[in-house]
C-alpha cells in the first residue's frame, strides 16, 4: 500500500467533487424515498402473505 499515492488519488477525487444543486438533491431524495417506500411495501406484502399462510389471525 503506497500511502502517498493513495492520498493524492483521494485529494484528486475531492477536488473533482462538487456540491449538488437543489434540483439534483431533490431528485436524489425523491428516488431514495421511493426506494424506501417500495422496500417497505414489499415487506408488508410478504408479512401479509405469511400471516395468511400460517393462519395467524
Amino acid at each position: 500500500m503506497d500511502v502517498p499515492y493513495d492520498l493524492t488519488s483521494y485529494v484528486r477525487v475531492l477536488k473533482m467533487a462538487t456540491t449538488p444543486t437543489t434540483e439534483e438533491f431533490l431528485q436524489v431524495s425523491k428516488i431514495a424515498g421511493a426506494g424506501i417506500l417500495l422496500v417497505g411495501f414489499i415487506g408488508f406484502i410478504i408479512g401479509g402473505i405469511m400471516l395468511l399462510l400460517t393462519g395467524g389471525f
Side-chain angles (χ1 to χ4, degrees):
M1 183 167 118
D2 189 18
V3 175
Y5 176 75
D6 291 340
L7 289 177
T8 57
S9 64
Y10 297 149
V11 169
R12 183 171 12 126
V13 169
L14 288 175
K15 284 182 180 178
M16 290 174 53
T18 59
T19 304
T21 64
T22 303
E23 183 178 328
E24 290 171 335
F25 179 78
L26 290 175
Q27 184 177 9
V28 169
S29 299
K30 288 177 187 175
I31 293 170
I36 291 170
L37 290 175
L38 179 65
V39 169
F41 182 71
I42 291 171
F44 180 76
I45 295 297
I46 291 173
I49 290 171
M50 293 300 293
L51 190 65
L52 288 174
L53 291 177
T54 59
F57 64 98

